[in-house]
Amino acid sequence: MDNQVITTPVEQEETIDYKALALRLWAKRKYIIKVGAAFVVLGLLAALIQKPVYEASCTFVPLSTSSKASSSSLSSLAAMAGINLGDMSAGESLSPLIYPQLLKNVEFNKELMRVPLHFEDYDEPVSLYDLATDRKYRKFSFESVLKAVKKYTIGLPGVILTAIRGEQPDVVIPGSGEDAEGEGGKISAFTNDEYKVYKALSKMISLTVEKKDGYLTLYAKSGEALVAAELCRGALNLMQKYIADFKQTQAKDNLAYLQARSKETRAEYLAKQMELAQYTDANRGAHTATSQTRIQQLSSEYDLAFALYTEVSKQLLQAELKVKNDTPVLSAVKPVDVPMQKMNSRSKTLMVWVFFGIIVSCGSVFGFDWLRTQGLKWPKKWE
């Protein structure tokens, strides 16, 4: 039987005919030029009305002290005496991951939006809150016209809904000062005007954490270089203040705790001292093994109580010094400076629009061709 070679047809892979695509684009070159020219015009308009954005930054590291070695020896010594001192080093350092949460703190933002800033249009320093709420700082500009047009065109449904619902009243918190504070601290709230400024401020301030190297970078954006630098500096100063207050609170709580423990250990030390003295006086001249053993036990208890009292006294002294310590808690590695270059560029904006116009014009050619293959007669004059 002759060997027969059976062959099967090889399926040819579908390949893209780039030459055909290029020819199709060349055939529709007039359409592509028209669409591209429209995007160039839009890009020029966007570049001309584009406001400059400056970004100031500051890199800093949180300073922290650690007394874990001394506190660990004290804790083990206290455990032998049946006293639980807990973790007295708590509050010594604050994780860098916590710092970004400050930017969401209501009281922090209330103070930050009232930091005076030097704008070019005004002779006196003006805060962001006053700039947004005081009518005397409202000036006519092309940007304000665009905002008004956007508000009453695209944002018209929102304006209607707001008018129907009415403006939400400000939150009133009963009590003030200590009366408004509870176990979880003071309750804070924005007014309607403050919340509007906060939403704008949240887009101007940001903080990044470099977990590996342990440093943080604070950024502030504004349309003016000096304002961006002043806003960054104001945020850094406020952050310094809030972290320092937090550490002071922790230090004061630790001091109060150690003062109470110091009284307890001192009373225990004096009691053991008196018990040893009384037993020694009562058994003077006795040479029995029982009396000698008892004296050794009382001496050991006295030594332990004295050592514990001494260590707590040292910790108490450190806690008192820490409360009075006014050392900065943040160390600026790269201080705030006035930025010299803008973040955004008109040429970059124009290039983005041109690139987008090329993508849209070429993509629409193939898109319209595909619609015709599906049996649609749209666009009508499309060939």
mmCIF file of all heavy atoms in Angstrom, residues 67 69-74 85 88-89 92 254-255 258 309-322:
data_model
loop_
_atom_site.group_PDB
_atom_site.id
_atom_site.type_symbol
_atom_site.label_atom_id
_atom_site.label_comp_id
_atom_site.label_asym_id
_atom_site.label_seq_id
_atom_site.Cartn_x
_atom_site.Cartn_y
_atom_site.Cartn_z
ATOM 1 N N SER A 67 12.513 55.749 74.851
ATOM 2 C CA SER A 67 13.034 55.332 76.150
ATOM 3 C C SER A 67 12.620 53.909 76.443
ATOM 4 O O SER A 67 12.326 53.546 77.557
ATOM 5 C CB SER A 67 12.525 56.271 77.251
ATOM 6 O OG SER A 67 11.111 56.269 77.278
ATOM 7 N N ALA A 69 14.363 51.184 76.284
ATOM 8 C CA ALA A 69 15.323 50.374 77.032
ATOM 9 C C ALA A 69 15.145 50.571 78.520
ATOM 10 O O ALA A 69 15.090 49.623 79.304
ATOM 11 C CB ALA A 69 16.744 50.746 76.610
ATOM 12 N N SER A 70 15.060 51.856 78.944
ATOM 13 C CA SER A 70 14.897 52.124 80.368
ATOM 14 C C SER A 70 13.529 51.709 80.855
ATOM 15 O O SER A 70 13.381 51.207 81.971
ATOM 16 C CB SER A 70 15.121 53.620 80.639
ATOM 17 O OG SER A 70 14.198 54.378 79.903
ATOM 18 N N SER A 71 12.501 51.915 80.040
ATOM 19 C CA SER A 71 11.151 51.560 80.473
ATOM 20 C C SER A 71 10.971 50.055 80.546
ATOM 21 O O SER A 71 10.203 49.561 81.372
ATOM 22 C CB SER A 71 10.122 52.162 79.527
ATOM 23 O OG SER A 71 10.263 51.617 78.237
ATOM 24 N N SER A 72 11.700 49.299 79.707
ATOM 25 C CA SER A 72 11.564 47.852 79.755
ATOM 26 C C SER A 72 12.153 47.298 81.043
ATOM 27 O O SER A 72 11.583 46.399 81.661
ATOM 28 C CB SER A 72 12.249 47.221 78.542
ATOM 29 O OG SER A 72 13.630 47.542 78.540
ATOM 30 N N SER A 73 13.308 47.847 81.470
ATOM 31 C CA SER A 73 13.888 47.381 82.728
ATOM 32 C C SER A 73 13.014 47.762 83.903
ATOM 33 O O SER A 73 12.848 47.002 84.861
ATOM 34 C CB SER A 73 15.290 47.981 82.907
ATOM 35 O OG SER A 73 15.214 49.401 82.935
ATOM 36 N N LEU A 74 12.412 48.957 83.823
ATOM 37 C CA LEU A 74 11.509 49.387 84.882
ATOM 38 C C LEU A 74 10.258 48.530 84.925
ATOM 39 O O LEU A 74 9.780 48.155 86.004
ATOM 40 C CB LEU A 74 11.153 50.859 84.674
ATOM 41 C CG LEU A 74 10.123 51.460 85.630
ATOM 42 C CD1 LEU A 74 10.626 51.379 87.060
ATOM 43 C CD2 LEU A 74 9.834 52.902 85.256
ATOM 44 N N LEU A 85 2.975 49.027 85.149
ATOM 45 C CA LEU A 85 3.211 50.399 84.721
ATOM 46 C C LEU A 85 2.762 50.642 83.292
ATOM 47 O O LEU A 85 2.759 51.770 82.815
ATOM 48 C CB LEU A 85 4.712 50.733 84.840
ATOM 49 C CG LEU A 85 5.255 50.812 86.271
ATOM 50 C CD1 LEU A 85 6.736 51.134 86.212
ATOM 51 C CD2 LEU A 85 4.527 51.840 87.094
ATOM 52 N N MET A 88 4.972 53.096 79.196
ATOM 53 C CA MET A 88 5.143 54.515 79.459
ATOM 54 C C MET A 88 5.812 55.232 78.313
ATOM 55 O O MET A 88 5.889 56.452 78.295
ATOM 56 C CB MET A 88 5.962 54.721 80.737
ATOM 57 C CG MET A 88 5.232 54.266 81.972
ATOM 58 S SD MET A 88 6.108 54.711 83.461
ATOM 59 C CE MET A 88 7.677 53.934 83.194
ATOM 60 N N SER A 89 6.323 54.497 77.355
ATOM 61 C CA SER A 89 6.911 55.127 76.178
ATOM 62 C C SER A 89 5.866 55.443 75.120
ATOM 63 O O SER A 89 6.181 55.987 74.084
ATOM 64 C CB SER A 89 7.986 54.223 75.564
ATOM 65 O OG SER A 89 7.414 53.012 75.114
ATOM 66 N N GLU A 92 5.589 58.650 72.703
ATOM 67 C CA GLU A 92 6.904 59.227 72.458
ATOM 68 C C GLU A 92 7.062 59.579 70.989
ATOM 69 O O GLU A 92 7.625 60.592 70.656
ATOM 70 C CB GLU A 92 7.994 58.231 72.887
ATOM 71 C CG GLU A 92 8.024 57.949 74.386
ATOM 72 C CD GLU A 92 8.613 59.099 75.177
ATOM 73 O OE1 GLU A 92 9.379 59.870 74.579
ATOM 74 O OE2 GLU A 92 8.294 59.242 76.350
ATOM 75 N N ASN A 254 1.136 60.995 80.877
ATOM 76 C CA ASN A 254 2.182 60.120 81.396
ATOM 77 C C ASN A 254 2.717 60.642 82.728
ATOM 78 O O ASN A 254 3.013 59.872 83.644
ATOM 79 C CB ASN A 254 3.310 60.010 80.361
ATOM 80 C CG ASN A 254 4.316 58.937 80.731
ATOM 81 O OD1 ASN A 254 3.953 57.895 81.263
ATOM 82 N ND2 ASN A 254 5.580 59.202 80.457
ATOM 83 N N LEU A 255 2.849 61.991 82.832
ATOM 84 C CA LEU A 255 3.330 62.595 84.079
ATOM 85 C C LEU A 255 2.359 62.331 85.219
ATOM 86 O O LEU A 255 2.777 61.981 86.335
ATOM 87 C CB LEU A 255 3.516 64.102 83.871
ATOM 88 C CG LEU A 255 3.912 64.902 85.111
ATOM 89 C CD1 LEU A 255 5.245 64.423 85.660
ATOM 90 C CD2 LEU A 255 3.958 66.395 84.797
ATOM 91 N N LEU A 258 2.694 58.733 86.315
ATOM 92 C CA LEU A 258 3.926 58.477 87.070
ATOM 93 C C LEU A 258 3.876 59.115 88.457
ATOM 94 O O LEU A 258 4.459 58.571 89.410
ATOM 95 C CB LEU A 258 5.131 59.002 86.292
ATOM 96 C CG LEU A 258 5.576 58.148 85.114
ATOM 97 C CD1 LEU A 258 6.664 58.856 84.326
ATOM 98 C CD2 LEU A 258 6.074 56.787 85.590
ATOM 99 N N TYR A 309 11.191 52.326 93.578
ATOM 100 C CA TYR A 309 10.911 53.733 93.871
ATOM 101 C C TYR A 309 11.943 54.648 93.201
ATOM 102 O O TYR A 309 11.595 55.713 92.657
ATOM 103 C CB TYR A 309 10.915 53.958 95.383
ATOM 104 C CG TYR A 309 10.856 55.398 95.791
ATOM 105 C CD1 TYR A 309 9.750 56.193 95.488
ATOM 106 C CD2 TYR A 309 11.923 55.990 96.475
ATOM 107 C CE1 TYR A 309 9.698 57.529 95.860
ATOM 108 C CE2 TYR A 309 11.877 57.326 96.843
ATOM 109 C CZ TYR A 309 10.768 58.091 96.533
ATOM 110 O OH TYR A 309 10.725 59.417 96.891
ATOM 111 N N THR A 310 13.195 54.223 93.187
ATOM 112 C CA THR A 310 14.255 55.014 92.550
ATOM 113 C C THR A 310 14.034 55.117 91.044
ATOM 114 O O THR A 310 14.157 56.195 90.452
ATOM 115 C CB THR A 310 15.627 54.382 92.827
ATOM 116 O OG1 THR A 310 15.825 54.288 94.247
ATOM 117 C CG2 THR A 310 16.739 55.224 92.220
ATOM 118 N N GLU A 311 13.681 53.996 90.411
ATOM 119 C CA GLU A 311 13.458 54.002 88.965
ATOM 120 C C GLU A 311 12.238 54.849 88.589
ATOM 121 O O GLU A 311 12.256 55.589 87.599
ATOM 122 C CB GLU A 311 13.269 52.574 88.452
ATOM 123 C CG GLU A 311 14.532 51.742 88.451
ATOM 124 C CD GLU A 311 15.534 52.232 87.431
ATOM 125 O OE1 GLU A 311 15.115 52.905 86.471
ATOM 126 O OE2 GLU A 311 16.731 51.977 87.600
ATOM 127 N N VAL A 312 11.168 54.732 89.380
ATOM 128 C CA VAL A 312 9.975 55.538 89.098
ATOM 129 C C VAL A 312 10.289 57.021 89.281
ATOM 130 O O VAL A 312 9.802 57.865 88.515
ATOM 131 C CB VAL A 312 8.809 55.095 90.004
ATOM 132 C CG1 VAL A 312 7.622 56.054 89.859
ATOM 133 C CG2 VAL A 312 8.362 53.690 89.656
ATOM 134 N N SER A 313 11.108 57.342 90.270
ATOM 135 C CA SER A 313 11.491 58.745 90.480
ATOM 136 C C SER A 313 12.274 59.286 89.281
ATOM 137 O O SER A 313 12.090 60.441 88.881
ATOM 138 C CB SER A 313 12.330 58.870 91.759
ATOM 139 O OG SER A 313 11.591 58.455 92.895
ATOM 140 N N LYS A 314 13.147 58.442 88.713
ATOM 141 C CA LYS A 314 13.890 58.859 87.521
ATOM 142 C C LYS A 314 12.941 59.095 86.352
ATOM 143 O O LYS A 314 13.061 60.086 85.622
ATOM 144 C CB LYS A 314 14.920 57.800 87.144
ATOM 145 C CG LYS A 314 16.066 57.653 88.145
ATOM 146 C CD LYS A 314 17.015 56.556 87.689
ATOM 147 C CE LYS A 314 18.155 56.368 88.691
ATOM 148 N NZ LYS A 314 19.078 55.275 88.276
ATOM 149 N N GLN A 315 12.003 58.171 86.173
ATOM 150 C CA GLN A 315 11.029 58.328 85.100
ATOM 151 C C GLN A 315 10.160 59.564 85.324
ATOM 152 O O GLN A 315 9.801 60.264 84.356
ATOM 153 C CB GLN A 315 10.147 57.081 85.003
ATOM 154 C CG GLN A 315 10.862 55.840 84.526
ATOM 155 C CD GLN A 315 11.205 55.927 83.053
ATOM 156 O OE1 GLN A 315 10.488 56.550 82.277
ATOM 157 N NE2 GLN A 315 12.300 55.300 82.661
ATOM 158 N N LEU A 316 9.824 59.851 86.563
ATOM 159 C CA LEU A 316 9.019 61.021 86.884
ATOM 160 C C LEU A 316 9.766 62.304 86.537
ATOM 161 O O LEU A 316 9.189 63.248 85.988
ATOM 162 C CB LEU A 316 8.648 61.002 88.366
ATOM 163 C CG LEU A 316 7.804 62.175 88.880
ATOM 164 C CD1 LEU A 316 6.478 62.242 88.131
ATOM 165 C CD2 LEU A 316 7.564 62.055 90.383
ATOM 166 N N LEU A 317 11.070 62.333 86.829
ATOM 167 C CA LEU A 317 11.873 63.496 86.500
ATOM 168 C C LEU A 317 11.945 63.701 84.986
ATOM 169 O O LEU A 317 11.825 64.828 84.484
ATOM 170 C CB LEU A 317 13.280 63.339 87.081
ATOM 171 C CG LEU A 317 14.267 64.485 86.793
ATOM 172 C CD1 LEU A 317 13.741 65.796 87.360
ATOM 173 C CD2 LEU A 317 15.651 64.165 87.375
ATOM 174 N N GLN A 318 12.108 62.593 84.241
ATOM 175 C CA GLN A 318 12.141 62.683 82.782
ATOM 176 C C GLN A 318 10.799 63.177 82.237
ATOM 177 O O GLN A 318 10.757 63.961 81.281
ATOM 178 C CB GLN A 318 12.481 61.324 82.181
ATOM 179 C CG GLN A 318 13.904 60.869 82.458
ATOM 180 C CD GLN A 318 14.191 59.498 81.877
ATOM 181 O OE1 GLN A 318 13.364 58.930 81.166
ATOM 182 N NE2 GLN A 318 15.369 58.954 82.185
ATOM 183 N N ALA A 319 9.710 62.691 82.828
ATOM 184 C CA ALA A 319 8.379 63.116 82.375
ATOM 185 C C ALA A 319 8.158 64.598 82.643
ATOM 186 O O ALA A 319 7.559 65.307 81.828
ATOM 187 C CB ALA A 319 7.302 62.287 83.070
ATOM 188 N N GLU A 320 8.642 65.102 83.791
ATOM 189 C CA GLU A 320 8.512 66.529 84.098
ATOM 190 C C GLU A 320 9.307 67.384 83.115
ATOM 191 O O GLU A 320 8.841 68.441 82.662
ATOM 192 C CB GLU A 320 8.982 66.796 85.525
ATOM 193 C CG GLU A 320 8.052 66.217 86.591
ATOM 194 C CD GLU A 320 8.612 66.359 87.996
ATOM 195 O OE1 GLU A 320 9.827 66.665 88.105
ATOM 196 O OE2 GLU A 320 7.871 66.159 88.969
ATOM 197 N N LEU A 321 10.504 66.913 82.752
ATOM 198 C CA LEU A 321 11.316 67.642 81.782
ATOM 199 C C LEU A 321 10.667 67.612 80.392
ATOM 200 O O LEU A 321 10.750 68.580 79.638
ATOM 201 C CB LEU A 321 12.722 67.043 81.713
ATOM 202 C CG LEU A 321 13.583 67.204 82.979
ATOM 203 C CD1 LEU A 321 14.901 66.448 82.815
ATOM 204 C CD2 LEU A 321 13.850 68.680 83.260
ATOM 205 N N LYS A 322 10.028 66.496 80.072
ATOM 206 C CA LYS A 322 9.410 66.353 78.756
ATOM 207 C C LYS A 322 8.212 67.288 78.608
ATOM 208 O O LYS A 322 7.957 67.812 77.516
ATOM 209 C CB LYS A 322 8.969 64.911 78.546
ATOM 210 C CG LYS A 322 8.682 64.544 77.108
ATOM 211 C CD LYS A 322 8.561 63.046 76.976
ATOM 212 C CE LYS A 322 9.899 62.391 77.332
ATOM 213 N NZ LYS A 322 9.838 60.922 77.229
#
